[in-house]
Amino acid sequence: MKGGYEITDLLFFPEKCTAEEAARLAPGATLYEIGREVFDRIAYREGSDGLLALARAKSLELDALQLSDNPLILVAEAPEKPGNIGALLRTADAARLDAVIIANPKGDLYNPNIIRSSVGCLFTTQLATGITTDVIGFLKAKGVALYAAALQDASEYHHCDFTTPTALVVGTEDSGLTQEWRDAAVRNIQIPMQGEIDSMNVSVAAAVLIFEAKRQRNFQ
């Protein structure tokens, strides 16, 4: 509700939540009292507060995004693991990014595993999806510089200026970003590796890049 989602229906288990409490939590929602057996079958995890809600999904269209005058955006191309997507959303919320854009999405962003792994940050972050070509076109039309996390012909990330409208673009851990992103970027960037491996978990790498950008912006 803090994220501006409209709850249309609220199911409650009276041993944990009374009808009066449910009505206060979601004014205007249709209330349904259910028994323990029904609740246990449809609840996604144990230890909940006796409430299950249906909310109206927001538009994930690129044009629905409301960006600031100097946006900082995270783009993730074709992420597959719900845990990684959830972690990206947690970082985006922590850094208060303008938006997270998923290019070439592989599944439903409202997947329960993504909601759970994001600890609710899916609801507090502006989201959009689109195919790579459309995302690139949208960002360039908004005057946003693209910095692609890639190993090929890359500069070290801390040598780049992220103080102007910026999109940090990360790819999958298996294959990285497609050539289309590397061609569109004003610069490819990398995090210098000092160990034996040449890459990090995508959510960790994104966090490093995001907070370097926030540091450059004096955490504004």
Side-chain angles (χ1 to χ4, degrees), residues 148-151 153-158 188-193 209:
L151 296 176
D153 301 319
S155 303
E156 293 187 359
Y157 74 101
H158 51 280
N188 293 338
I189 56 175
Q190 65 173 327
I191 300 170
M193 300 285 108
L209 300 176

Side-chain angles (χ1 to χ4, degrees), residues 60-62 76 78 101-105 128-135 181:
L60 297 177
E61 297 293 324
L62 291 165
I101 300 175
I102 305 297
N104 301 339
T129 61
I131 63 172
T132 284
T133 300
D134 290 346
V135 176
W181 280 109

Side-chain angles (χ1 to χ4, degrees), residues 36-51:
R36 176 181 287 279
E37 183 178 353
V38 174
F39 183 84
D40 288 344
R41 289 194 54 138
I42 59 179
Y44 198 74
R45 64 180 179 89
E46 296 179 358
S48 61
D49 296 323
L51 292 167

Side-chain angles (χ1 to χ4, degrees), residues 10-215:
L10 193 63
L11 291 72
F12 66 96
F13 177 41
E15 290 184 20
K16 288 194 171 184
C17 178
T18 67
E20 292 76 16
E21 290 171 329
R24 284 198 302 271
L25 288 169
T30 302
L31 302 181
Y32 298 92
E33 180 178 323
I34 57 176
R36 176 181 287 279
E37 183 178 353
V38 174
F39 183 84
D40 288 344
R41 289 194 54 138
I42 59 179
Y44 198 74
R45 64 180 179 89
E46 296 179 358
S48 61
D49 296 323
L51 292 167
L52 292 161
L54 293 177
R56 198 177 305 281
K58 289 186 178 181
S59 171
L60 297 177
E61 297 293 324
L62 291 165
D63 288 339
L65 293 177
Q66 298 181 6
L67 304 179
S68 66
D69 293 336
N70 187 25
L72 179 60
I73 299 164
L74 173 66
V75 179
E77 185 182 39
E80 294 181 329
K81 298 176 182 177
N84 281 342
I85 298 172
L88 291 171
L89 293 171
R90 290 179 72 172
T91 301
D93 176 273
R96 197 171 290 180
L97 297 187
D98 283 73
V100 173
I101 300 175
I102 305 297
N104 301 339
K106 297 295 185 181
D108 179 14
L109 283 187
Y110 292 106
N111 178 307
N113 286 318
I114 294 177
I115 294 174
R116 182 172 60 177
S117 63
S118 77
V119 293
C121 291
L122 177 139
F123 302 120
T124 60
T125 304
Q126 280 203 101
L127 292 169
T129 61
I131 63 172
T132 284
T133 300
D134 290 346
V135 176
I136 291 173
F138 170 80
L139 293 172
K140 287 196 169 184
K142 295 290 186 181
V144 177
L146 310 180
Y147 290 87
L151 296 176
Q152 301 88 349
D153 301 319
S155 303
E156 293 187 359
Y157 74 101
H158 51 280
H159 294 158
C160 300
D161 180 3
F162 302 133
T163 59
T164 58
T166 296
L168 301 169
V169 189
V170 296
T172 64
E173 293 169 41
D174 291 337
S175 55
L177 288 169
T178 58
Q179 187 65 44
E180 192 171 1
W181 280 109
R182 299 200 296 270
D183 291 342
V186 296
R187 187 173 296 181
N188 293 338
I189 56 175
Q190 65 173 327
I191 300 170
M193 300 285 108
Q194 298 182 330
E196 297 299 322
I197 60 171
D198 63 2
S199 67
M200 294 190 295
N201 174 276
V202 64
S203 62
V204 175
V208 171
L209 300 176
I210 288 168
F211 277 95
E212 168 60 17
K214 292 292 290 187
R215 183 195 66 79

